[in-house]
Amino acid sequence: MNSAERAGQGGEVDVVVIGAGFAGLAMANRLQENGFSMQGFEAGGDVGGTWYWNRYPGARCDVQSMEYSYRFSEDLQQQWEWSEHFSPQPEILRYAGHVADRFDLRRHFRFHTRVLGARFDEARGRWIVATSDGAETVARFLVTAVGCLSASNVPDIAGLDSFQGLLVHTGSWPHEGVDLAGKRVGVIGTGSSGVQAIPMIAREAAELTVFQRTASYCVPAHNRPLDPADAAKIKSDYKAFRDHCGKQFGAVTGEPGTKSALEVDDAERKRIYEEAWARGGLSFQGAFYDLSYDMKANDTASAFFRDKIHEIVKDPETADKLVPKHRLGVKRLCIDTGYYDTYNRPNVHLVDLKQEPIERVTETGVRAGGKDHPLDILVLATGYDAITGPLLRMDIRGRGDRRLRDDWADGAQSYLGLGVAGFPNMFIVSGPGSPCVLTNMIYSIEQHVDWIADCLVHLRTQGLNLIEADETAQETWGEELNAMAAGTLLATGNSWYTGANIDGKPRRFMIHLDYPAYVGRCEKVAAEGYSGFTVAP
Ligand code: N01
């Protein structure tokens, strides 16, 4: 009988893991390797997390395939073959399934089962985890592996419920697909998801109306089949490649530029921007080293985008609307395939919500700026209640029945993004306060999972049963993060990074900006016998 079966019969497990995305799978693998019993829960019908849900047309990763994959098994990374430079969603989902099969991980999870809440029973020193199937599972440790972008943001737009056509969110796209052919489709939202979906939808739909509140900075992906020679080169010493990634700020390749945008003349600046554009991808932001903090340097990037958009988009009025009005770096760069060019199609219409705000959704479409836009399908590409959202949608209660929701009412607090004071024996994978969304997620997930597994082994070896972040260590960590983020565009902007995209959410930037330094800190904490945590028998 495996640990999942024991738990199903009211048994107790060492660890409950919430989520079977890349974090949950990696955690299950490490727990299994180390002989811990576990019960995993997953709301979806299978493994894959974000890649299970995000099946919208054009969904694709913006970190290159050879990097966006696990490094824990040399055989796996040698044998798995990616077909494209940036992997499409179906291939990443197949990869997750392959990993689950290969390491026999599915047996640890109960699918179609959502965790509703978890409470720490102080007297017993156990977590009691309540799930949507009505069951309660008892565990010594709780690991949340719920993802940072998994709680969809459905905006409070008047009349949304009254729409009689098909309403879909990119983050929960119907598995059977959506028949777009000959339909009038509307898309609200032009972040990464919208920017990927819009060109694909435009090809199939009869008419596509895009409702844009904020124009995004979009850089071409220049996606292509993966060159077997490039893959072979990386595989010839995959470890060295991974180690190199781990030394970068975001655990991804792409060296930042060595020049200031202001130290070169106009022609040279344009040449360097054009080169970055031709290379494509997120590394555009590093074309010059000072784009993120020197506003004059930043202005040169905005000017480049303005010219580029006007070069691509034939109608000058539409091009004007597509030119971002905020600074490059305030929001995440979008990586596109034919996004701007899509607006040259006769069946694509752009509504600038700053000029023509949405008044309401009606039974038959969207009314904006006094005009009705009839629609058969309305796509919400409106993003996520990021990082804290998936944690706070569950009712997590720690010591003395204190609720995580209350503790985080003014913003998240954590120690290392891994533990929270008052919530003993709970670990968060990619939590607020860690580098999480500013890294190659699979890379930083593995670091967290390894740290947690090593910690559990340490506790077991030392005969210890309790680990809990100290309030003071947590406060100091928060201060360190604030100091690190002070003045950066990312930390001050209106975006999901700061919580500004969700009405009523406290604005707090809780992302560590330097992955290698963060890893060093985690290692130091562990080497010091988990300094900043209380560990006890
Ligand atoms: O979400 P977003 P996303 N009325 O929050 C608009 C990752 N990701 O799903 O900016 C009208 O970025 C909102 O407008 P505004 C990636 O990290 C990666 O696109 O708030 N509009 C914005 O335009 C990414 O950053 C990949 O003014 C409303 C859009 O909806 C993150 O996920 C692919 C509105 C939301 O954009 C989130 O991306 C996809 C309203 N009431 C996602 N509410 C890749 O790997 C919101 N909006 C490539």
Side-chain angles (χ1 to χ4, degrees), residues 409 499 502-506:
I502 302 295
D503 287 341
K505 184 168 175 170

Side-chain angles (χ1 to χ4, degrees), residues 347-404:
N347 68 331
V348 176
H349 320 285
L350 179 64
V351 178
D352 181 350
L353 299 179
K354 292 264 162 60
Q355 293 169 11
E356 301 171 81
I358 294 179
E359 287 156 44
R360 62 179 298 109
V361 174
T362 64
E363 285 184 15
T364 54
V366 171
R367 187 177 304 145
K371 190 175 165 208
D372 280 314
H373 300 272
L375 301 171
D376 304 305
I377 300 170
L378 178 56
V379 176
L380 299 178
T382 45
Y384 299 90
D385 181 354
I387 311 176
T388 53
L391 293 162
L392 296 183
R393 285 187 185 186
M394 300 179 288
D395 185 11
I396 298 181
R397 292 169 188 243
R399 279 191 193 285
D401 214 29
R402 67 199 266 184
R403 293 168 14 131
L404 192 63

Side-chain angles (χ1 to χ4, degrees), residues 51 54 56 59-63 149 153 155-157 169-170 188-196 211-214 216 331-335 353-354 358 381-384 437 494 496-497 501:
W51 302 104
N54 278 266
Y56 61 84
R60 184 182 293 286
C61 190
D62 58 6
V63 174
L149 294 160
N153 169 38
D156 186 14
I157 300 175
H169 192 287
T170 47
I188 300 179
T190 50
S192 299
S193 303
V195 161
Q196 285 188 330
F211 298 93
Q212 169 194 275
R213 189 164 70 181
T214 302
S216 290
K331 292 174 187 263
R332 191 181 173 98
L333 202 57
C334 297
I335 306 306
L353 299 179
K354 292 264 162 60
I358 294 179
T382 45
Y384 299 90
V437 290
N494 280 328
W496 59 261
Y497 288 120
N501 66 325

Side-chain angles (χ1 to χ4, degrees), residues 10-311:
E12 175 183 310
V13 288
D14 292 324
V15 187
V16 156
V17 175
I18 312 176
F22 279 108
L25 287 179
M27 194 72 244
N29 186 53
R30 286 303 313 269
L31 292 173
Q32 174 175 271
E33 276 176 355
N34 286 289
F36 290 103
S37 62
M38 71 160 275
Q39 174 62 59
F41 296 108
E42 166 57 54
D46 199 1
V47 300
T50 194
W51 302 104
Y52 173 86
W53 298 104
N54 278 266
R55 299 175 189 229
Y56 61 84
R60 184 182 293 286
C61 190
D62 58 6
V63 174
Q64 58 164 309
S65 313
M66 295 301 288
E67 296 182 46
Y68 194 78
S69 50
Y70 287 124
R71 63 188 186 281
F72 70 77
S73 159
E74 178 65 10
D75 283 351
L76 171 68
Q77 64 181 3
Q78 287 296 335
Q79 286 161 16
W80 182 265
E81 291 188 3
W82 297 105
S83 65
E84 298 181 41
H85 182 69
F86 291 118
S87 296
Q89 173 271 332
E91 193 164 332
I92 303 175
L93 189 59
R94 267 201 306 283
Y95 174 74
H98 170 80
V99 171
D101 288 340
R102 185 174 184 134
F103 299 95
D104 196 14
L105 302 175
R106 276 197 185 84
R107 69 197 173 102
H108 296 300
F109 289 91
R110 205 182 296 160
F111 294 96
H112 297 294
T113 309
R114 185 173 285 282
V115 170
L116 305 176
R119 97 191 126 79
F120 186 68
D121 180 334
E122 275 187 271
R124 293 159 72 191
R126 296 289 184 269
W127 279 97
I128 317 294
V129 181
T131 40
S132 54
D133 55 1
E136 284 197 333
T137 303
V138 181
R140 297 174 58 224
F141 297 95
L142 178 68
V143 176
T144 70
V146 291
C148 293
L149 294 160
S150 55
S152 296
N153 169 38
V154 176
D156 186 14
I157 300 175
L160 197 58
D161 290 344
S162 68
F163 183 59
Q164 295 297 302
L166 179 66
L167 181 69
V168 285
H169 192 287
T170 47
S172 49
W173 199 261
H175 287 197
E176 65 280 12
V178 175
D179 182 11
L180 301 159
K183 304 283 189 337
R184 298 162 303 175
V185 182
V187 175
I188 300 179
T190 50
S192 299
S193 303
V195 161
Q196 285 188 330
I198 284 163
M200 302 295 286
I201 295 173
R203 283 189 214 168
E204 288 188 50
E207 300 291 330
L208 169 62
T209 306
V210 177
F211 298 93
Q212 169 194 275
R213 189 164 70 181
T214 302
S216 290
Y217 285 94
C218 307
V219 174
H222 297 308
N223 188 39
R224 53 199 177 273
L226 184 61
D227 182 341
D230 289 346
K233 189 164 169 241
I234 290 172
K235 285 185 178 183
S236 70
D237 193 351
Y238 222 139
K239 182 175 180 316
F241 179 75
R242 300 287 196 190
D243 289 348
H244 170 76
C245 294
K247 292 194 181 102
Q248 312 308 311
F249 278 119
V252 273
T253 49
E255 310 283 339
T258 52
K259 288 184 179 158
S260 159
L262 304 176
E263 74 177 71
V264 293
D265 63 22
D266 291 354
E268 175 66 354
R269 191 181 308 114
K270 181 158 168 42
R271 189 191 66 73
I272 291 174
Y273 277 135
E274 288 290 357
E275 211 173 79
W277 185 270
R279 202 170 47 243
L282 293 170
S283 67
F284 184 93
Q285 203 138 355
F288 294 100
Y289 70 78
D290 51 356
L291 296 184
S292 296
Y293 57 85
D294 186 311
M295 295 312 121
K296 284 210 172 104
N298 191 281
D299 287 343
T300 68
S302 299
F304 176 80
F305 271 89
R306 190 181 56 235
D307 293 347
K308 207 56 171 171
I309 293 166
H310 274 275
E311 211 175 273

